Amino acid sequence: MLRVAVVGSGPSGVYTAQALLQSRVPDVRVHVLDRLPTPYGLVRYGVAPDHEKIKSLQSSLRAVLEDDRITFVGNVGVGAGGLSPDRLKEMYHAVVYCVGAAADRPLDVPGEGLPGSFSATEFVSWYSAHPDAAPDGFALLARSAVVVGVGNVAVDVARILARGADGLRGTDVPRAALDALVASRVREVHIVGRRGPSQARFTTKELRELGALPGARIAVDGSELALDPAYAAAVGLTGTPLPAVVRRNLDVLRGWAADPRPAAPGRERRIRLRFFLRPVELLERDGRVAGVRFARTAPDGAGGVRDTGVYEDIEAQLVLRAVGYRGTPLPGLPFDPVRGTVPHLAGRVVRDGTASPGEYVAGWIKRGPTGVIGSNRSCAKETVASLIEDAPLLVGREVATDPLGALRGQGLRPVEWDGWLSIERAEAALGRSLGRGPVKIPDWSGLLEAAHGEPL
Ligand code: NAP
C-alpha cells in the first residue's frame, strides 16, 4: 500500500488526491491535511461569494474527498508551529505540498502601513469568514476607495465594494460582513493599473461583471486608454496579433469609453478604471490614509513603463493593495526566494541540486500564483506522474500504519470528514436562525466547537 500525505485541501491538493486515485497504483491511501478545520482552500476562502458558479466547484472537490481511499485531516498544521517535513516523511511514503501562496506581495511605498490601507487578501478573508481574518473587520466608512492592481483579485474586491450588500443576502457571506456592506458609505471605487489596458491581468468575464452591477456605473477615459499603442493599433509590441483575452478586454473598455453608463437613480456608486498610474506614496491625514499619489507613466516600447514626471493624487480613505500573492518558505523545505516557490523538477522537490523522491509540490507553491482553478489539474497530474514513477522505490520504506493515531498521540485534535460535516450543519443552522441559507462561521472557536460537537 502506498501511503501519501497531501498538504493542503484547496484545488491543487484535491486534484492531486484525485490524480493519485486515478493512477495505476492499485492500493493507495491518501491523507489530505489542512491547517484549517475546513476543506477547499481558496474555493471556500478566496472565491468571491457572488461567484456562485465557481463556488459550486466545491461539490466536485467534495466528491473526491468523500472517496473511501481518502481521509480529510483538518486542523493539522504543517511547517512553522506544526508538523515538520521530516516528521511527515516518517509517517508517509510520499508527501505532496499543495500549500499555495500564503503571503501578499508588498507595494513597497511609503505609507503602505497606514490605518485604512489593507492587502486585498485581508478584505477577501473578511468577507469570506476566514478564521484568521482581522477580528475588527471593515467598517466601510470610506467614501472613496482605491484598489491598486488590475488583476482578477482587484476586480473581485472592487466589485464587492461597488455592489455593497446587493445580491449577497442569498450567499454564505458572514453576518458582520453583510451588515457592514449594507451600511457601506463607499461611493467611488478607483481600480488603478501601473501599465496599460492591454497589459491588465483581469479576464474578460470578470471585467464585464463590473459593468453589469445594478447599483454602479463605470467610467473609463478613452484618452487614457489611447496611451496604450495596442489600444489603437490592435497589435502587440512586435506587430504580432494580440492574445484573444487582451482583444476582448480592449473591446469591453472601448465600449465603456464610447458609451458610459449614465448616472441614474439607484446607481449611486461609480467604478473608475484607470491606467498608466504607478503608486508612489500613500498620503496621510490625521494618522490615517487619505489618498494615493501616483506617477503618470508612459509605455517604454518594451512592455514596461517609464515615469513622465507628472503626478496625480487620488483621494481615498480606503486602499486595497491587490498586487499579487507570494509563496512563503516552509521550514524544512527548500525555497526559491526570488520566485517565491519550492524548486522542483516535474513536481519533485529539488534539494541541493537533486530531485528528492518522496517529496513533491503542486499548485501555486510549485508554479507561482498564476492561472485559473482548472490550471491546477494539469499541474497536479504532472506531479503525480513523477510520484507514481518513484512509487516502487518509496513503498519499501516502513512508515506509520496509523498516522491519525500518531497525531492524536502527540496532542493534536484532527478534524476528520465527519467533523467538517458537523461544521456544515452548524452553518446551515446559523443561516436558518438568520432567515438565510448557510452562513459561514467566522472564528476558530466556533468552527472547532461545531467540528468536535462540544464547547472548547
Ligand atoms: P495578478 O493577476 O498577478 O495581478 C496583479 C496586478 O498587480 C497586476 O495588474 C500587476 O501589474 C499589479 N502590480 C504588481 N506589483 C505592483 C506594484 N508594485 N504597483 C502597482 N501594481 C502592481 O494577481 P491577482 O489579481 O492577485 O490574481 C492571482 C491569480 O488568481 C491570477 O491567476 C488570477 O487570475 C487568479 N484569480 C482568479 C479569479 C477569477 O477567476 N475570478 C479571481 C481571483 C483571482 P503588472 O502586470 O504591471 O505587474
Side-chain angles (χ1 to χ4, degrees):
M1 184 187 288
L2 176 68
R3 292 179 183 277
V4 183
V6 171
V7 182
S9 66
S12 62
V14 178
Y15 291 145
T16 298
Q18 184 175 39
L20 282 161
L21 297 188
Q22 290 166 348
S23 72
R24 59 190 154 76
V25 173
D27 202 2
V28 58
R29 290 289 180 278
V30 187
H31 282 186
V32 179
L33 277 55
D34 205 297
R35 182 175 81 78
L36 297 173
T38 53
Y40 312 137
L42 276 184
V43 177
R44 180 172 160 94
Y45 288 122
V47 172
D50 57 346
H51 274 173
E52 276 122 5
K53 195 156 168 233
I54 313 183
K55 281 268 177 217
S56 68
L57 250 179
Q58 286 188 15
S59 46
S60 58
L61 302 182
R62 175 191 201 102
V64 177
L65 292 176
E66 285 187 331
D67 190 287
D68 287 346
R69 292 163 292 174
I70 294 192
T71 306
F72 173 68
V73 187
N75 196 33
V76 171
V78 172
L83 300 175
S84 68
D86 280 349
R87 177 79 179 113
L88 285 176
K89 259 186 174 168
E90 287 166 13
M91 292 166 60
Y92 299 94
H93 294 121
V95 186
V96 190
Y97 294 90
C98 304
V99 292
D104 302 300
R105 245 192 253 153
L107 259 189
D108 282 334
V109 300
E112 184 168 8
L114 282 170
S117 158
F118 300 89
S119 71
T121 310
E122 288 175 279
F123 187 61
V124 172
S125 294
W126 168 70
Y127 67 61
S128 305
H130 193 293
D132 289 341
D136 297 341
F138 288 75
L140 300 182
L141 300 175
R143 290 179 314 283
S144 173
V146 162
V147 179
V148 180
V150 281
N152 277 332
V153 170
V155 172
D156 271 354
V157 297
R159 190 182 64 254
I160 296 290
L161 283 174
R163 175 186 277 292
D166 183 57
L168 294 185
R169 277 186 192 79
T171 72
D172 60 3
V173 76
R175 195 167 19 166
L178 188 65
D179 291 347
L181 287 164
V182 168
S184 167
R185 294 191 200 158
V186 174
R187 292 295 174 268
E188 292 271 341
V189 182
H190 307 260
I191 311 176
V192 190
R194 61 181 172 179
R195 298 192 289 161
S198 70
Q199 291 143 333
R201 306 274 183 96
F202 43 62
T203 39
T204 315
K205 179 179 154 289
E206 280 63 27
L207 178 64
R208 278 204 187 102
E209 280 174 323
L210 291 178
L213 294 173
R217 60 204 161 97
I218 191 142
V220 283
D221 177 345
S223 61
E224 196 169 67
L225 299 177
L227 295 172
D228 188 333
Y231 184 69
V235 288
L237 274 177
T238 52
T240 48
L242 293 172
V245 59
V246 174
R247 258 189 296 116
R248 285 194 297 260
N249 285 349
L250 293 181
D251 283 346
V252 172
L253 294 170
R254 228 176 253 123
W256 286 339
D259 182 17
R261 214 173 174 209
R267 243 178 250 161
E268 52 184 14
R269 296 198 170 97
R270 182 164 61 158
I271 302 170
R272 298 201 60 176
L273 265 159
R274 306 291 312 271
F275 294 96
F276 293 112
L277 291 171
R278 184 175 71 79
V280 290
E281 184 183 355
L282 269 60
L283 307 170
E284 181 249 311
R285 194 181 312 127
D286 301 330
R288 292 186 55 82
V289 75
V292 186
R293 175 156 300 157
F294 291 94
R296 164 65 69 196
T297 63
D300 66 2
V305 284
R306 57 179 172 76
D307 285 357
T308 60
V310 177
Y311 293 87
E312 177 175 336
D313 294 350
I314 299 182
E315 179 206 321
Q317 301 79 34
L318 173 66
V319 175
L320 298 178
R321 308 171 316 256
V323 296
Y325 299 106
R326 251 190 92 68
T328 51
L330 195 146
L333 270 193
F335 188 70
D336 176 345
V338 177
R339 299 193 53 216
T341 53
V342 171
H344 72 96
L345 272 175
R348 289 184 187 91
V349 171
V350 170
R351 283 184 185 276
D352 305 322
T354 43
S356 133
E359 288 180 310
Y360 306 84
V361 279
W364 280 0
I365 196 63
K366 172 184 171 189
R367 58 175 212 280
T370 57
V372 291
I373 292 174
S375 321
N376 290 300
R377 243 182 223 286
S378 48
C379 178
K381 278 188 180 157
E382 181 197 49
T383 294
V384 168
S386 298
L387 191 158
I388 297 302
E389 211 175 287
D390 299 342
L393 261 177
L394 304 172
V395 284
R397 198 164 55 80
E398 203 157 302
V399 293
T401 48
D402 177 18
L404 275 173
L407 293 177
R408 286 197 191 90
Q410 65 184 83
L412 299 176
R413 289 196 77 189
V415 170
E416 292 182 61
W417 194 250
D418 279 353
W420 158 242
L421 295 181
S422 304
I423 293 175
E424 277 193 324
R425 282 193 297 276
E427 293 190 334
L430 173 61
R432 273 196 303 279
S433 74
L434 298 169
R436 296 173 53 194
V439 169
K440 281 183 184 160
I441 297 172
D443 54 283
W444 273 99
S445 55
L447 289 169
L448 291 176
E449 264 182 49
H452 295 303
E454 60 191 68
L456 287 180

